[in-house]
Amino acid sequence: TRPRPTTGQEALRELAAGNLRWRTYRQQHPDETHTVRQALVSGQQPFAIVLGCIDSRVPPELVFDQGLGDLMTVRSGGEVLDDAVLGSTTYGVLELGVPLIVVLGHQSCGAVKAAVHADETGEEVPASLRYLVEQIKPAIDHSQEGDARVDATIDANVKRVRSQLAAEPDLAAKVDAGELLIVGARYELTTQQVHRVG
């Protein structure tokens, strides 16, 4: 298997290199061999956790060109945190020693669009979607209008979720000890590039 990044900065560099391969159509599809699959039977050592949206156009293993055992991915509409998402994310840090969490938003996020639309129109959203919309609403950027509001809210939502994770006591202790890096990022559908947010 490939050498594993052991720090948050090393993990970020690996993700950036993988995203460059992805957007230049030079994917390696690493860590998918028979040998790797057999080695993973006895355990895992992922080097990053990606909390991303459910959008089918933004699968973290593909956009970062990573393979089996490389990433722990947690996905919810609009990267919204609830107890299950927080617990899943925290598990990777506390139990597996993962040094990096990336909150990954993306261009044209439908969950953010729904929250902005509900906020602007006052229309009732279906009960099953209400929680997502309510969690995203505090991030709505009212200084912008139209598509610019949605776009700015995507970034603001990433920053908000990143701050929520950083405020969780167990994760904050790991950050303070220099054992964990938590960053916000965004995937552009038009260019396939991931860049830092905040």
Side-chain angles (χ1 to χ4, degrees):
T1 59
R2 299 179 298 158
R4 313 300 283 173
T6 58
T7 69
Q9 289 297 338
E10 288 175 2
L12 269 180
R13 285 193 289 274
E14 174 58 35
L15 293 183
N19 180 243
L20 177 61
R21 294 191 302 269
W22 166 256
R23 69 179 191 267
T24 57
Y25 299 93
R26 295 186 177 129
Q27 303 94 314
Q28 295 174 352
H29 300 288
D31 295 334
E32 296 178 6
T33 65
H34 174 76
T35 303
V36 169
R37 294 180 198 195
Q38 289 302 111
L40 288 172
V41 171
S42 60
Q44 59 174 324
Q45 293 180 304
F47 66 83
I49 299 166
V50 180
L51 169 55
C53 185
I54 59 171
D55 195 292
S56 65
R57 301 167 293 178
V58 194
E61 289 86 354
L62 293 181
V63 303
F64 291 118
D65 191 30
Q66 300 301 317
L68 298 171
D70 295 333
L71 305 179
M72 294 188 82
T73 57
V74 184
R75 300 176 74 176
S76 65
E79 310 87 54
V80 165
L81 280 180
D82 63 12
D83 288 344
V85 170
L86 179 59
S88 299
T89 303
T90 303
Y91 173 85
V93 174
L94 300 184
E95 297 299 321
L96 299 175
V98 176
L100 174 67
I101 299 173
V102 177
V103 180
L104 182 64
H106 67 92
Q107 180 183 16
S108 300
C109 179
V112 170
K113 286 180 181 179
V116 169
H117 180 77
D119 183 67
E120 290 175 345
T121 64
E123 291 178 16
E124 193 71 23
V125 296
S128 57
L129 301 180
R130 197 168 299 134
Y131 180 79
L132 293 179
V133 166
E134 290 303 317
Q135 293 300 306
I136 295 169
K137 270 189 176 183
I140 294 174
D141 187 337
H142 290 99
S143 70
Q144 304 290 329
E145 296 293 333
D147 290 342
R149 177 174 290 173
V150 171
D151 202 59
T153 300
I154 290 166
D155 290 355
N157 186 56
V158 166
K159 293 174 188 174
R160 183 170 184 271
V161 173
R162 187 217 159 272
S163 294
Q164 289 173 319
L165 286 170
E168 197 283 324
D170 289 325
L171 298 180
K174 291 290 188 181
V175 171
D176 291 343
E179 298 171 3
L180 176 65
L181 184 61
I182 307 174
V183 302
R186 173 176 162 141
Y187 179 72
E188 302 298 342
L189 296 171
T190 49
T191 64
Q192 293 88 57
Q193 182 172 13
V194 175
H195 58 90
R196 291 279 292 269
V197 172

